[in-house]
Amino acid sequence: MTKSRFRVGISIVAAIVGVVVLAIAFFPWNALRAPVAHYLSRELARPVTIGKLSVKLGWTLGIRVEDLSIGNAEWSKDPQMAHVRSANAQVRLLSLLGGTPTIPMLELTEPEILLERNGDGTPNWIFGESESAPDVRLGSVNIDSGVVRYRDPTLRADVTVKLQSPAAVAGTAPSLRFAGDGSLRNEPFHIDGQGQAVSAVRNIGD
Protein backbone atom coordinates (compact mmCIF):
# COMPACT_ATOMS: atom_id res chain seq x y z
CA MET A 1 0.00 0.00 0.00
CA THR A 2 2.84 2.37 0.93
CA LYS A 3 4.67 1.79 -2.38
CA SER A 4 1.43 2.23 -4.26
CA ARG A 5 0.73 5.54 -2.58
CA PHE A 6 4.32 6.62 -3.26
CA ARG A 7 3.92 5.87 -6.97
CA VAL A 8 0.62 7.75 -7.03
CA GLY A 9 2.29 10.72 -5.33
CA ILE A 10 5.16 10.69 -7.83
CA SER A 11 2.68 10.54 -10.71
CA ILE A 12 0.74 13.50 -9.34
CA VAL A 13 3.92 15.58 -8.88
CA ALA A 14 5.09 14.68 -12.39
CA ALA A 15 1.70 15.64 -13.81
CA ILE A 16 1.76 18.99 -12.00
CA VAL A 17 5.32 19.71 -13.20
CA GLY A 18 4.28 18.79 -16.74
CA VAL A 19 1.31 21.11 -16.62
CA VAL A 20 3.48 23.96 -15.29
CA VAL A 21 6.10 23.41 -18.01
CA LEU A 22 3.44 23.37 -20.73
CA ALA A 23 1.78 26.48 -19.28
CA ILE A 24 5.09 28.37 -19.33
CA ALA A 25 6.02 27.08 -22.79
CA PHE A 26 2.70 28.14 -24.29
CA PHE A 27 2.23 31.28 -22.19
CA PRO A 28 0.82 34.14 -24.31
CA TRP A 29 3.81 36.44 -23.83
CA ASN A 30 2.37 38.96 -26.24
CA ALA A 31 -0.31 39.71 -23.64
CA LEU A 32 2.47 41.24 -21.50
CA ARG A 33 3.51 43.81 -24.11
CA ALA A 34 1.29 46.53 -22.58
CA PRO A 35 2.50 45.99 -18.97
CA VAL A 36 6.12 45.85 -20.18
CA ALA A 37 5.64 49.06 -22.19
CA HIS A 38 4.04 50.71 -19.15
CA TYR A 39 7.01 49.67 -16.96
CA LEU A 40 9.53 51.01 -19.48
CA SER A 41 7.56 54.25 -19.84
CA ARG A 42 7.75 54.76 -16.10
CA GLU A 43 11.48 53.92 -15.91
CA LEU A 44 12.44 56.11 -18.88
CA ALA A 45 9.92 58.87 -18.16
CA ARG A 46 9.01 58.64 -21.85
CA PRO A 47 6.07 57.02 -23.66
CA VAL A 48 7.00 53.53 -24.88
CA THR A 49 4.87 51.32 -27.12
CA ILE A 50 5.40 47.70 -28.20
CA GLY A 51 3.58 46.15 -31.14
CA LYS A 52 4.41 42.52 -30.40
CA LEU A 53 6.39 40.59 -27.79
CA SER A 54 7.55 36.96 -27.85
CA VAL A 55 9.86 35.01 -25.53
CA LYS A 56 11.73 31.73 -25.99
CA LEU A 57 12.57 30.20 -22.63
CA GLY A 58 15.94 28.76 -21.61
CA TRP A 59 19.00 29.59 -19.55
CA THR A 60 19.57 32.12 -22.32
CA LEU A 61 16.27 33.82 -23.04
CA GLY A 62 15.33 34.65 -26.61
CA ILE A 63 13.33 37.87 -26.69
CA ARG A 64 11.79 39.39 -29.83
CA VAL A 65 10.12 42.79 -29.88
CA GLU A 66 8.39 44.21 -32.92
CA ASP A 67 7.34 47.79 -33.63
CA LEU A 68 9.07 49.34 -30.61
CA SER A 69 8.77 53.12 -30.18
CA ILE A 70 10.29 55.46 -27.58
CA GLY A 71 9.04 59.01 -27.15
CA ASN A 72 11.23 62.09 -27.29
CA ALA A 73 12.05 64.76 -24.71
CA GLU A 74 9.21 67.19 -24.05
CA TRP A 75 11.13 70.12 -25.53
CA SER A 76 11.66 68.45 -28.94
CA LYS A 77 9.50 69.31 -31.93
CA ASP A 78 9.56 65.61 -32.91
CA PRO A 79 7.46 63.41 -30.61
CA GLN A 80 9.43 60.22 -31.32
CA MET A 81 13.06 59.61 -30.39
CA ALA A 82 13.40 56.04 -31.60
CA HIS A 83 11.57 53.35 -33.51
CA VAL A 84 12.73 49.79 -34.25
CA ARG A 85 10.86 47.53 -36.64
CA SER A 86 12.14 44.46 -34.81
CA ALA A 87 14.70 43.63 -32.14
CA ASN A 88 15.99 40.17 -31.29
CA ALA A 89 18.00 39.70 -28.11
CA GLN A 90 19.58 36.86 -26.19
CA VAL A 91 19.61 37.48 -22.44
CA ARG A 92 21.34 35.30 -19.89
CA LEU A 93 18.67 34.43 -17.37
CA LEU A 94 20.89 34.36 -14.25
CA SER A 95 22.35 37.79 -15.08
CA LEU A 96 18.93 39.32 -14.41
CA LEU A 97 19.25 38.27 -10.78
CA GLY A 98 22.59 40.06 -10.45
CA GLY A 99 21.26 43.45 -11.51
CA THR A 100 23.49 43.74 -14.60
CA PRO A 101 21.78 42.13 -17.60
CA THR A 102 24.12 40.28 -19.96
CA ILE A 103 23.05 40.35 -23.60
CA PRO A 104 25.33 38.12 -25.72
CA MET A 105 23.53 39.05 -28.95
CA LEU A 106 21.34 41.91 -30.10
CA GLU A 107 19.93 42.31 -33.60
CA LEU A 108 18.15 45.50 -34.67
CA THR A 109 16.18 45.74 -37.90
CA GLU A 110 15.46 49.20 -39.30
CA PRO A 111 16.21 51.20 -36.16
CA GLU A 112 15.52 54.92 -36.61
CA ILE A 113 17.02 57.08 -33.87
CA LEU A 114 16.97 60.84 -33.37
CA LEU A 115 19.72 62.26 -31.14
CA GLU A 116 19.58 65.96 -30.45
CA ARG A 117 20.35 68.79 -28.07
CA ASN A 118 18.20 71.82 -27.40
CA GLY A 119 19.36 75.43 -27.38
CA ASP A 120 20.66 75.03 -23.81
CA GLY A 121 22.73 72.01 -24.76
CA THR A 122 20.48 69.49 -22.99
CA PRO A 123 20.55 66.10 -24.78
CA ASN A 124 17.46 64.03 -25.42
CA TRP A 125 19.26 60.81 -24.40
CA ILE A 126 18.96 61.62 -20.68
CA PHE A 127 16.00 59.65 -19.37
CA GLY A 128 14.19 60.69 -16.21
CA GLU A 129 16.51 62.00 -13.49
CA SER A 130 19.43 59.72 -14.35
CA GLU A 131 22.31 61.09 -16.42
CA SER A 132 24.06 57.73 -16.73
CA ALA A 133 23.27 54.89 -19.11
CA PRO A 134 21.85 51.64 -17.71
CA ASP A 135 24.52 49.09 -16.74
CA VAL A 136 24.20 46.42 -19.42
CA ARG A 137 26.86 44.01 -20.72
CA LEU A 138 26.60 43.77 -24.51
CA GLY A 139 27.99 41.15 -26.83
CA SER A 140 27.53 41.25 -30.60
CA VAL A 141 25.27 43.98 -31.97
CA ASN A 142 24.07 43.65 -35.55
CA ILE A 143 22.24 46.48 -37.29
CA ASP A 144 20.25 46.11 -40.49
CA SER A 145 19.23 49.30 -42.33
CA GLY A 146 19.73 51.64 -39.38
CA VAL A 147 19.37 55.42 -39.50
CA VAL A 148 20.63 57.89 -36.90
CA ARG A 149 19.98 61.61 -37.14
CA TYR A 150 21.88 64.14 -34.99
CA ARG A 151 20.75 67.72 -34.46
CA ASP A 152 22.55 70.35 -32.39
CA PRO A 153 21.68 74.06 -32.72
CA THR A 154 24.82 75.08 -30.79
CA LEU A 155 26.94 73.48 -33.53
CA ARG A 156 24.44 74.33 -36.26
CA ALA A 157 24.53 70.62 -37.02
CA ASP A 158 21.98 68.38 -38.72
CA VAL A 159 23.47 65.09 -39.89
CA THR A 160 21.79 61.82 -40.92
CA VAL A 161 23.88 58.66 -40.92
CA LYS A 162 22.93 55.24 -42.27
CA LEU A 163 24.29 52.16 -40.45
CA GLN A 164 24.72 48.60 -41.67
CA SER A 165 26.48 45.58 -40.17
CA PRO A 166 28.30 43.67 -42.95
CA ALA A 167 27.86 39.92 -43.18
CA ALA A 168 30.08 38.11 -40.69
CA VAL A 169 33.31 36.67 -42.08
CA ALA A 170 35.16 33.97 -40.18
CA GLY A 171 38.44 35.16 -38.70
CA THR A 172 37.65 38.88 -38.95
CA ALA A 173 36.50 41.30 -36.27
CA PRO A 174 32.88 42.51 -36.43
CA SER A 175 32.45 45.91 -38.02
CA LEU A 176 29.88 48.54 -38.87
CA ARG A 177 29.46 50.46 -42.12
CA PHE A 178 28.33 54.08 -41.92
CA ALA A 179 27.58 56.80 -44.44
CA GLY A 180 25.90 60.13 -43.92
CA ASP A 181 25.31 63.67 -45.09
CA GLY A 182 24.12 66.91 -43.60
CA SER A 183 25.48 70.19 -42.35
CA LEU A 184 27.91 71.21 -39.60
CA ARG A 185 28.33 74.89 -38.68
CA ASN A 186 26.17 75.59 -41.71
CA GLU A 187 28.70 73.89 -43.99
CA PRO A 188 28.01 70.72 -46.01
CA PHE A 189 29.11 67.63 -44.13
CA HIS A 190 29.74 64.07 -45.37
CA ILE A 191 30.98 60.97 -43.59
CA ASP A 192 31.63 57.51 -45.00
CA GLY A 193 33.56 54.56 -43.66
CA GLN A 194 33.69 51.39 -41.65
CA GLY A 195 34.64 51.01 -38.01
CA GLN A 196 34.56 48.61 -35.12
CA ALA A 197 31.22 47.21 -34.07
CA VAL A 198 29.89 47.68 -30.55
CA SER A 199 30.99 44.18 -29.58
CA ALA A 200 34.60 45.09 -30.34
CA VAL A 201 34.38 48.00 -27.92
CA ARG A 202 32.38 46.35 -25.13
CA ASN A 203 33.07 42.62 -25.31
CA ILE A 204 31.27 40.73 -22.58
CA GLY A 205 33.86 37.96 -22.59
CA ASP A 206 33.22 34.35 -21.68
Side-chain angles (χ1 to χ4, degrees), residues 25 38 59 74 80 84 105 109 113-114 118 138 158 182 206:
H38 177 74
W59 289 113
E74 293 183 353
Q80 185 170 276
V84 182
M105 184 278 294
T109 301
I113 301 173
L114 171 62
N118 63 12
L138 280 174
D158 190 344
D206 298 323

Side-chain angles (χ1 to χ4, degrees), residues 98-141:
T100 303
T102 297
I103 304 175
M105 184 278 294
L106 176 63
E107 294 179 343
L108 302 176
T109 301
E110 296 182 13
E112 298 180 358
I113 301 173
L114 171 62
L115 302 177
E116 60 180 335
R117 294 180 182 271
N118 63 12
D120 297 326
T122 302
N124 71 335
W125 55 86
I126 292 180
F127 299 97
E129 298 179 356
S130 175
E131 297 188 6
S132 59
D135 190 9
V136 178
R137 302 185 69 196
L138 280 174
S140 64
V141 179

Side-chain angles (χ1 to χ4, degrees), residues 17 25 29 50 52 59 61 70 72 113 115 117 119 127 137 148-149 162 166 177 182 184 198:
V17 171
W29 295 102
I50 297 176
K52 186 177 181 180
W59 289 113
L61 297 173
I70 302 176
N72 209 347
I113 301 173
L115 302 177
R117 294 180 182 271
F127 299 97
R137 302 185 69 196
V148 175
R149 184 179 182 183
K162 295 182 179 181
R177 286 280 310 168
L184 178 63
V198 176

Side-chain angles (χ1 to χ4, degrees), residues 26 78 131 133 139 156 170 197 200:
F26 292 98
D78 291 291
E131 297 188 6
R156 301 189 297 281

Side-chain angles (χ1 to χ4, degrees), residues 37-38 40-49 69-75 79 81 123-128:
H38 177 74
L40 293 175
S41 298
R42 186 175 68 250
E43 290 297 308
L44 299 179
R46 302 277 181 87
V48 176
T49 60
S69 296
I70 302 176
N72 209 347
E74 293 183 353
W75 46 261
M81 176 185 178
N124 71 335
W125 55 86
I126 292 180
F127 299 97

Side-chain angles (χ1 to χ4, degrees), residues 9-27 57:
I10 291 297
S11 298
I12 293 175
V13 171
I16 293 175
V17 171
V19 170
V20 171
V21 170
L22 288 174
I24 293 176
F26 292 98
F27 183 83
L57 297 178

